[in-house]
């Protein structure tokens, strides 16, 4: 992109973004908006759609939709809302660049392994991938060791319910264990280049593992490369999918630094499945058997033992928690007293200011018409909760971190 500083940021931007203090000048904001319009006009993967988005975005700029926004966080959230509406591309996002090093301690791979394995009975093995990290020799060996231990299994359950994506190379490497011969998975289409066919590379263990029953668990949080992994196996009739429908974020992106303040996650590749040429962007994965996040593993184990599961048409959940009910009420309330009562009742006193700012900015941008509703709830380990909130602008995720007394310490939105 001519308008973008050609620096690829080699970092993973967390999808649960905490608001950071960044000073934004009007000129930086205006220059960035103009660069963004130009990028859509000239370098978007889908030329006609890019020109249409550029025209609508330019109209918003001329209409003054962003001119009075001085808060950098509010500007980014507002622009992301609009980009989602215009493109329906879940990877196309803007973030703030914060060069200050984080003081938080990173969890080492020894403390939290990339792959969690559990041995169940009846020859059933359970593997949990919460991400697909970049492929290197160390990780290849880790994968190989796990797969070698599974060659005599009857069923492998692969849990991607909390997997937000990662490396496409890692995805294809792992899939290679489950086909004895070479198999065409998809065709990759990148901007201004010729299509590239994607094939599996069989492994030593492929002869045994190609006959093993595979079950993949999905949820509304299964995203990006995790969706690609699931699609490539499901459509080749190589895996049964149990869980929730996924959001449909399939495009690969690169992250670019724009005028020292904004990070642009820009899609540069789409892939179409070899079997039906389908691109699952904005489509997602439809499971073979629907099951709520908190029931999917249990359903999968039963399926592995009996070879069948009960078909349901709709996933049900309950808003049992007083906190959840009060949160939905306050997100749709115009009353300052309702808002303050929620903060004082449900938030740790030492964290009230930070949580209040997060909720306030969320309401300002994503729920300004006060008509959001909670459509799903995931009860996570360590007493945490993940909510899915539907508004006129799409579905947002909200992760709530609770202490031992069920008081909120942090809220993250995506």
């Amino acid at each position: 992109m001519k308008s973008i500083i050609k620096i690829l940021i080699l970092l993973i931007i967390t999808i649960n973004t905490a608001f950071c203090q960044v000073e934004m000048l009007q000129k930086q904001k205006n220059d960035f908006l103009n660069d963004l319009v130009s990028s859509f006009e000239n370098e978007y993967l889908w030329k006609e759609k890019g020109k249409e988005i550029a025209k609508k975005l330019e109209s918003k700029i001329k209409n003054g939709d962003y001119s009075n926004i001085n808060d950098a966080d509010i500007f980014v959230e507002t622009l992301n809302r609009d980009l989602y509406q215009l493109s329906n591309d879940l990877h196309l996002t803007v973030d703030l660049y914060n060069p200050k090093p984080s003081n938080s301690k990173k969890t080492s791979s020894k403390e939290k392994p990339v792959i969690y394995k559990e041995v169940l009975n009846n020859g059933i093995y359970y593997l949990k991938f919460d991400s697909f990290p970049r492929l290197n020799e160390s990780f290849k060996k880790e994968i190989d060791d796990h797969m070698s231990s599974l060659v005599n299994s009857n069923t492998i359950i692969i849990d991607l319910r909390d997997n937000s994506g990662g490396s496409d190379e890692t995805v294809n490497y792992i899939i290679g264990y489950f086909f004895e011969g070479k198999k065409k998975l998809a065709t990759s289409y990148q901007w201004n280049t010729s299509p590239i066919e994607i094939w599996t590379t069989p492994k030593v263990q492929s002869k045994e593992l190609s006959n093993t029953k595979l079950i993949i668990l999905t949820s509304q949080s299964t995203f990006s490369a995790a969706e690609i992994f699931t699609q490539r196996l499901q459509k080749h009739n190589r895996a049964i999918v149990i869980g929730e429908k996924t959001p449909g974020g399939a495009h690969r992106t690169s992250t670019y630094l724009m005028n020292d303040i904004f990070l642009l996650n820009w899609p540069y590749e789409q892939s179409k499945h070899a079997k039906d040429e389908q691109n699952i962007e904005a489509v997602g994965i439809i499971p073979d058997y629907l099951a709520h996040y908190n029931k999917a593993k249990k359903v999968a184990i039963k399926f592995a033992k009996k070879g069948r599961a009960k078909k349901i048409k709709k996933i049900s959940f309950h808003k049992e928690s007083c906190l959840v009910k009060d949160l939905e009420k306050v997100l749709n309330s115009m009353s300052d007293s309702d808002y303050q009562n929620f903060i004082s009742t449900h938030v740790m006193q030492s964290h009230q200011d930070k949580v209040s700012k997060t909720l306030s900015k969320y309401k300002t941008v994503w729920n300004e018409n006060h008509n959001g509703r909670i459509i799903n709830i995931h009860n996570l380990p360590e007493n945490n909760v993940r909510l899915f909130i539907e508004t006129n602008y799409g579905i947002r995720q909200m992760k709530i971190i609770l202490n031992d007394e069920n008081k909120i310490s942090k809220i993250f939105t995506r």
Side-chain angles (χ1 to χ4, degrees):
M1 300 175 185
K2 294 178 181 178
S3 55
I4 297 175
I5 299 174
K6 288 286 191 176
I7 303 176
L8 179 60
I9 307 300
L10 298 177
L11 51 81
I12 298 174
I13 302 169
T14 177
I15 57 174
N16 295 322
T17 305
F19 292 106
C20 55
Q21 296 297 318
V22 177
E23 187 176 343
M24 176 183 66
L25 301 176
Q26 286 295 318
K27 186 178 186 307
Q28 289 175 311
K29 179 179 70 175
N30 294 336
D31 287 348
F32 170 55
L33 287 170
N34 290 331
D35 286 348
L36 194 55
V37 169
S38 177
S39 296
F40 276 116
E41 283 179 336
N42 301 307
E43 301 184 41
Y44 197 51
L45 261 174
W46 304 269
K47 292 181 180 179
E48 294 305 315
K49 186 176 181 180
K51 292 183 185 302
E52 182 183 337
I53 294 172
K55 187 176 180 180
K56 291 179 179 178
L57 183 59
E58 195 168 29
S59 176
K60 284 180 171 291
I61 296 168
K62 289 179 178 177
N63 193 46
D65 287 18
Y66 311 108
S67 59
N68 294 324
I69 302 177
N70 298 314
D71 185 298
D73 294 322
I74 294 292
F75 170 68
V76 164
E77 287 292 292
T78 304
L79 185 56
N80 280 332
R81 181 197 71 189
D82 292 345
L83 289 176
Y84 174 73
Q85 276 197 305
L86 294 173
S87 69
N88 208 22
D89 189 325
L90 294 170
H91 277 104
L92 177 60
T93 57
V94 176
D95 213 323
L96 291 173
Y97 174 53
N98 184 10
K100 296 179 181 178
S102 173
N103 293 324
S104 59
K105 294 182 179 179
K106 293 183 178 180
T107 306
S108 71
S109 58
K110 291 183 180 180
E111 294 172 335
K112 187 177 180 182
V114 173
I115 307 170
Y116 169 76
K117 185 174 82 170
E118 184 179 343
V119 182
L120 306 174
N121 55 12
N122 300 99
I124 303 169
Y125 289 78
Y126 169 86
L127 293 179
K128 192 171 194 294
F129 292 83
D130 284 347
S131 68
F132 289 120
R134 290 179 180 276
L135 197 61
N136 54 36
E137 292 306 314
S138 174
F139 189 46
K140 280 183 181 180
K141 184 179 185 308
E142 182 180 352
I143 297 170
D144 199 64
D145 289 345
H146 277 292
M147 294 304 173
S148 295
S149 71
L150 301 177
V151 292
N152 295 317
S153 60
N154 294 324
T155 304
I156 301 172
I157 299 171
I158 299 177
D159 190 347
L160 304 181
R161 288 175 296 169
D162 297 305
N163 192 312
S164 57
S167 167
D168 197 57
E169 185 183 7
T170 301
V171 163
N172 297 329
Y173 185 84
I174 296 173
I175 290 176
Y177 285 95
F178 302 118
F179 292 98
E180 187 173 359
K182 292 195 73 173
K183 176 75 73 173
K184 183 180 175 182
L185 297 175
T187 302
S188 164
Y189 298 88
Q190 298 187 18
W191 182 79
N192 215 23
T193 62
S194 299
I196 301 171
E197 292 184 347
I198 299 171
W199 292 74
T200 61
T201 302
K203 312 294 191 298
V204 173
Q205 303 88 339
S206 296
K207 184 175 181 180
E208 289 83 6
L209 292 176
S210 63
N211 295 311
T212 301
K213 183 187 294 181
L214 283 183
I215 299 174
I216 300 175
L217 306 186
T218 62
S219 79
Q220 275 191 273
S221 284
T222 304
F223 189 64
S224 192
E227 294 180 273
I228 292 294
F229 180 93
T230 306
Q231 182 212 28
R232 289 177 181 173
L233 287 166
Q234 183 191 40
K235 283 190 175 292
H236 278 302
N237 298 317
R238 187 60 195 86
I240 294 293
V241 180
I242 296 174
E244 299 173 347
K245 183 179 180 296
T246 66
H251 297 154
R252 294 178 73 184
T253 60
S254 286
T255 302
Y256 297 90
L257 178 62
M258 313 269 289
N259 64 23
D260 299 326
I261 182 172
F262 298 112
L263 292 169
L264 176 63
N265 302 303
W266 185 258
Y268 71 89
E269 180 196 41
Q270 64 166 320
S271 71
K272 294 183 179 181
H273 198 280
K275 194 168 183 180
D276 61 3
E277 288 283 299
Q278 186 186 40
N279 172 23
I280 58 171
E281 183 69 34
V283 175
I285 302 295
I286 299 174
D288 299 292
Y289 295 90
L290 284 173
H292 185 267
Y293 173 91
N294 293 109
K295 297 180 179 179
K297 184 179 177 182
K298 185 177 180 180
V299 172
I301 293 171
K302 186 178 291 186
F303 184 92
K305 291 178 179 178
K306 297 184 177 181
R308 64 183 186 275
K310 184 180 178 182
K311 286 273 188 180
I312 62 172
K313 293 183 179 180
K314 187 178 180 181
I315 292 174
S316 60
F317 68 97
H318 303 285
K319 300 177 187 177
E320 297 173 348
S321 164
C322 178
L323 183 153
V324 171
K325 290 178 180 177
D326 288 350
L327 176 62
E328 187 173 59
K329 177 183 176 182
V330 80
L331 288 177
N332 292 314
S333 175
M334 299 286 287
S335 168
D336 287 338
S337 61
D338 285 345
Y339 186 74
Q340 293 304 321
N341 285 338
F342 176 84
I343 297 296
S344 60
T345 303
H346 294 291
V347 183
M348 292 173 57
Q349 189 170 2
S350 58
H351 292 67
Q352 286 182 358
D353 186 53
K354 185 175 287 187
V355 170
S356 178
K357 286 179 180 177
T358 301
L359 281 179
S360 178
K361 289 176 180 179
Y362 172 85
K363 285 185 66 175
T364 299
V365 177
W366 287 93
N367 207 27
E368 61 183 21
N369 290 338
H370 308 287
N371 57 358
R373 65 190 185 98
I374 295 171
I375 60 170
N376 198 1
I377 302 170
H378 292 170
N379 296 309
L380 305 174
E382 300 178 357
N383 203 29
N384 299 324
V385 179
R386 184 164 56 216
L387 307 177
F388 297 83
I389 305 168
E390 185 178 60
T391 73
N392 285 342
Y393 305 107
I395 296 173
R396 297 288 288 176
Q397 287 190 38
M398 182 176 286
K399 186 175 180 181
I400 300 175
I401 311 299
L402 301 169
N403 68 2
D404 293 337
E405 298 176 346
N406 284 332
K407 295 278 188 177
I408 298 173
S409 63
K410 290 181 181 178
I411 287 181
F412 301 100
T413 63
R414 140 181 144 181

